[in-house]
């Protein structure tokens, strides 16, 4: 099971890192981390991902991670596409204007990564095109790092209880072992190398915990486990949705520029 974070979260983190005058990083570092194993990213209407990141650095950034039943108030086509994709980079109050907009323009914008996957399970690939919307609504509400950490702790308890009721060891022993391995706060090496250097340890810890919890939910959703009726399956699905929502809130909190003290 892969432990990773959405591309919009990585983009927000690197935008914040790039505008720190004391940071030991560069645009090329940011591009390598965000793109990862993808094909080179493109930006609709022209321009480049590097230009998008630099323009985003003129404002406050945060990753929005909407889901069915838990929308994010972005409004209009940007909100609709973000809901369909499940993520977006939200930039508020940029003094540089939206990418591909008039030079010197001021405003907010939303960039949604449209992912087209190809290849096979053994050799996967992805093409990513960022679609940009100017003049959107303000950023989503964001928990403090402390609030998000507390929400994750509560959600992990919910996950453990739900998975215990599912009796994962009985229906798939390897799944139980994988869930046990995932339930950790250690930052996976594959994720750590994609994060900006010298990042606030609280943000890194929150990201790792949220990414691991997301992976647990994805693994648990592959089977109804020991459910013997529809009511039990619905109860477990509801618990897992609650856990997934807490993980998304934590990822959003960790991605926000100038996070509030927690």
């Amino acid at each position: 099971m892969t432990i990773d974070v959405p591309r919009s979260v990585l983009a927000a983190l690197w935008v914040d890192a790039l505008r720190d005058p004391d940071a030991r990083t560069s645009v090329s570092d940011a591009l390598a981390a965000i793109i990862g194993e993808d094909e080179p990213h493109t930006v609709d209407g022209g321009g480049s991902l590097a230009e998008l990141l630099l323009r985003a650095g003129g404002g406050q950034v945060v990753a929005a991670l909407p889901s069915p039943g838990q929308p994010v108030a972005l409004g209009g086509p940007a909100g609709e596409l973000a809901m369909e994709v499940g993520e977006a980079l939200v930039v508020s109050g940029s003094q540089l204007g939206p990418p591909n907009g008039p030079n010197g323009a001021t405003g907010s914008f939303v960039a949604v990564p449209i992912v087209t996957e190809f290849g096979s399970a053994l050799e996967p690939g992805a093409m990513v095109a960022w679609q940009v919307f100017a003049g959107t609504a303000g950023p989503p509400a964001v928990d403090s790092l402390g609030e998000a950490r507390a929400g994750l702790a509560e959600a992990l308890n919910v996950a453990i209880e739900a998975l215990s009721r599912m009796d994962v060891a009985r229906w798939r022993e390897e799944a139980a072992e994988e869930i046990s391995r995932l339930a950790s706060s250690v930052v996976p090496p594959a994720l750590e190398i994609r994060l900006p250097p010298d990042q606030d340890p609280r943000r890194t810890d929150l990201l790792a915990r949220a990414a691991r919890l997301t992976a647990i939910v994805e693994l648990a959703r592959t089977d109804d486990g020991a459910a013997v009726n529809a009511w039990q399956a619905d109860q477990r699905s509801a618990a897992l949705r609650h856990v997934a929502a807490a993980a998304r809130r934590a990822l959003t909190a960790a991605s926000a520029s100038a996070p509030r003290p927690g």
Side-chain angles (χ1 to χ4, degrees), residues 2 6 22 43 53 58 60 75-76 89 259:
T2 301
D22 298 323
V43 178
L53 297 177
Q60 297 296 303
L89 176 68

Side-chain angles (χ1 to χ4, degrees), residues 16 22 39 59 71 80-81 113-114 124 143 154 165 194 210 228:
D16 218 22
D22 298 323
E39 295 295 311
E80 294 175 5
L81 187 58
I114 309 301
D143 292 344
E154 184 270 340
R165 291 200 302 267
R194 301 186 71 185
V228 295

Side-chain angles (χ1 to χ4, degrees), residues 162-237:
L163 295 173
S164 295
R165 291 200 302 267
M166 291 172 74
D167 192 10
V168 292
R170 180 166 70 82
W171 57 270
R172 212 169 73 196
E173 184 176 353
E174 69 274 15
E177 294 174 354
E178 180 75 354
I179 287 171
S180 177
R181 183 185 67 81
L182 290 171
S184 165
S185 61
V186 176
V187 183
L191 174 59
E192 186 173 22
I193 63 174
R194 301 186 71 185
L195 301 178
D198 304 320
Q199 181 172 260
D200 183 341
R202 296 180 305 163
R203 297 176 83 174
T204 301
D205 177 78
L206 194 60
L207 284 166
R209 291 175 185 273
R212 286 181 175 279
L213 205 54
T214 299
I216 288 175
V217 170
E218 291 177 355
L219 184 61
R221 281 175 171 168
T222 62
D223 200 302
D224 281 335
V228 295
N229 56 48
W231 182 85
Q232 283 186 329
D234 288 344
Q235 290 296 301
R236 289 162 189 163
S237 293

